[in-house]
Amino acid sequence: MSDIRETVVIIGSGPAAWTAAVYASRANLDPVVYEGEISRDMVPGGQLMFTTDIENFPGFPEALGGTDLMERMKAQAERFGTRVVTESITSVDFSARPFVLRSSGGSHIVASTVIVATGARANWLGLPSEERLARTGGGVSSCAVCDGALPSFRNQPLVVVGGGDSAMEEALYLTKFASEVVIVHRRDSFRASKVMADRVLEHPKIRVEWNAQVTDVLGDDFITGVRVADTLTGEVRDITCGGMFVAIGHTPNTAFLSGQLALHENGYIVTPDSWRTTTSVEGVFACGDVMDSYYRQAVTAAGTGCMAALEAERWLAHHGIERPAAAVETTA
Ligand code: NAP
């Protein structure tokens, strides 16, 4: 079998991955990015590919599209020599060094160091109307902090779906812009911490539709309302709104690791040293949303991508791999 030998393999294609690639390539580490291949649940570029306008990434005073930002980051990494492979990493063996990875294209990659930046995907309700409007910028979002301040959401009734801390946080954030925030929750009590739930319940601009499940999102090009079914009686009613924010949790993209890195109970990669991107395996680093269930912002992901590349560079230097050869193909 043909082995591809690499010094730095970066897995992912969101802000963390591209920032790691910019730093690693500028440090002459000759990184390769496995950006993933398009599938039903995945497009290279990660979650920002579903974001129409980004107004909070520093350096862009005018809003720019998520796709645009990702293309720019990728181009910046490529400018310094980053190689990009449009395949997914399907399995890893971190039990010995160098590490071994397999790709969806059948490659067997032997890597000195690996940066995992595979992100997390927002959970969605799974409704076709929800997917269509989320993809086309039709007023359906999974991130209030990213999208809530957009002009189209101002002075409108906005719906938040979910009953956890994220839903509480999104609802409170949206009160700055919305005429009213309606939380649609499928049960009669919140999962969120008491302090967050109390803050929501006391807020004059927020009301809760208890025991309600969204069954359809209404509107052709832009959302006009949601249809909900009462989870106890089955009764159906419509709620008029100018936006829907789905806050029903995230799933980190860690399945391909098959237990090779320590994960938190919620599936996110453990980075045991605070303010570091080191993982449970020496020489493997993690950055971006795959290790961060808390901030989940493009700019924080980019920051940890920078950290991971600097850590990889220092780790390679410490192990005497300071001037790595270009990737070579060998026959095992
Ligand atoms: P979460 O705690 O898992 O809550 C998800 C919510 O979505 C639950 O209320 C759940 O309903 C609902 N839900 C799940 N699937 C659904 C579906 N198909 N249809 C309708 N509703 C659905 O997720 P999270 O709120 O994102 O929080 C994740 C973690 O981050 C938690 O540990 C949380 O405490 C933490 N967090 C903390 C803060 C903070 O401290 N400021 C902020 C954000 C998140 P059920 O309740 O019926 O299961």
Side-chain angles (χ1 to χ4, degrees):
M1 176 184 292
S2 174
D3 285 355
I4 304 173
R5 293 200 64 91
E6 297 285 359
T7 305
V8 180
V9 173
I10 299 167
I11 315 172
S13 51
W18 295 127
T19 306
V22 168
Y23 273 76
S25 51
R26 290 190 78 244
N28 274 341
L29 297 177
D30 190 29
V32 61
V33 171
Y34 278 78
E35 65 169 354
E37 59 185 9
I38 298 174
S39 69
R40 203 175 157 274
D41 313 318
M42 217 295 294
V43 285
Q47 294 219 86
L48 287 187
M49 302 303 277
F50 302 103
T51 307
T52 41
D53 286 314
I54 298 173
E55 294 180 323
N56 55 7
F57 199 90
F60 296 97
E62 308 299 332
L64 84 168
T67 309
D68 195 11
L69 181 60
M70 287 302 92
E71 280 168 3
R72 284 167 182 247
M73 285 192 185
K74 180 176 176 179
Q76 190 174 355
E78 287 179 318
R79 181 183 152 208
F80 297 109
T82 297
R83 291 163 294 124
V84 181
V85 180
T86 309
E87 293 176 12
S88 303
I89 296 298
T90 50
S91 69
V92 295
D93 183 353
F94 293 156
S95 60
R97 294 202 299 262
F99 306 118
V100 176
L101 299 85
R102 285 177 194 280
S103 79
S104 53
S107 294
H108 186 259
I109 304 136
V110 179
S112 302
T113 181
V114 174
I115 295 175
V116 181
T118 43
R121 53 185 186 279
N123 297 338
W124 294 94
L125 297 166
L127 304 168
S129 49
E130 168 200 51
E131 186 187 340
R132 177 173 52 80
L133 291 170
R135 278 186 188 280
T136 56
V140 173
S141 165
S142 63
C143 180
V145 177
C146 317
D147 298 333
L150 294 175
S152 54
F153 293 123
R154 303 222 170 200
N155 303 314
Q156 307 270 348
L158 300 176
V159 160
V160 172
V161 185
D165 279 324
S166 295
M168 304 301 111
E169 220 167 52
E170 304 248 310
L172 289 163
Y173 183 78
L174 290 170
T175 57
K176 295 182 202 178
F177 316 106
S179 57
E180 178 190 34
V181 176
V182 183
I183 297 179
V184 175
H185 182 39
R186 64 185 177 183
R187 292 190 293 121
D188 64 357
S189 64
F190 285 140
R191 176 180 297 276
S193 56
K194 187 170 174 346
V195 60
M196 295 287 281
D198 285 350
R199 220 172 279 162
V200 157
L201 294 170
E202 285 160 12
H203 200 289
K205 264 188 167 181
I206 302 178
R207 74 180 167 88
V208 185
E209 291 273 350
W210 301 105
N211 300 314
Q213 181 77 37
V214 175
T215 57
D216 201 7
V217 185
L218 311 174
D220 295 329
D221 297 330
F222 205 87
I223 185 171
T224 55
V226 295
R227 181 154 297 157
V228 300
D230 189 302
T231 53
L232 301 178
T233 65
E235 179 209 337
V236 172
R237 59 189 184 280
D238 292 347
I239 302 169
T240 300
C241 67
M244 175 175 88
F245 292 81
V246 180
I248 61 172
H250 285 74
T251 304
N253 298 315
T254 47
F256 73 102
L257 295 170
S258 305
Q260 302 266 319
L261 289 183
L263 304 179
H264 289 287
E265 246 175 38
N266 58 8
Y268 288 79
I269 295 174
V270 173
T271 47
D273 305 313
S274 56
W275 292 98
R276 300 282 301 277
T277 58
T278 42
T279 67
S280 57
V281 175
E282 221 194 291
V284 178
F285 303 93
C287 53
D289 286 10
V290 76
M291 48 73 88
D292 169 23
S293 62
Y294 190 75
Y295 296 106
R296 295 194 294 241
Q297 299 300 299
V299 68
T300 52
T304 55
C306 158
M307 290 156 65
L310 293 177
E311 299 227 45
E313 184 185 359
R314 285 168 197 173
W315 188 85
L316 288 164
H318 181 72
H319 287 79
I321 320 173
E322 287 184 69
R323 291 183 60 82
V328 290
E329 286 219 8
T330 59
T331 303

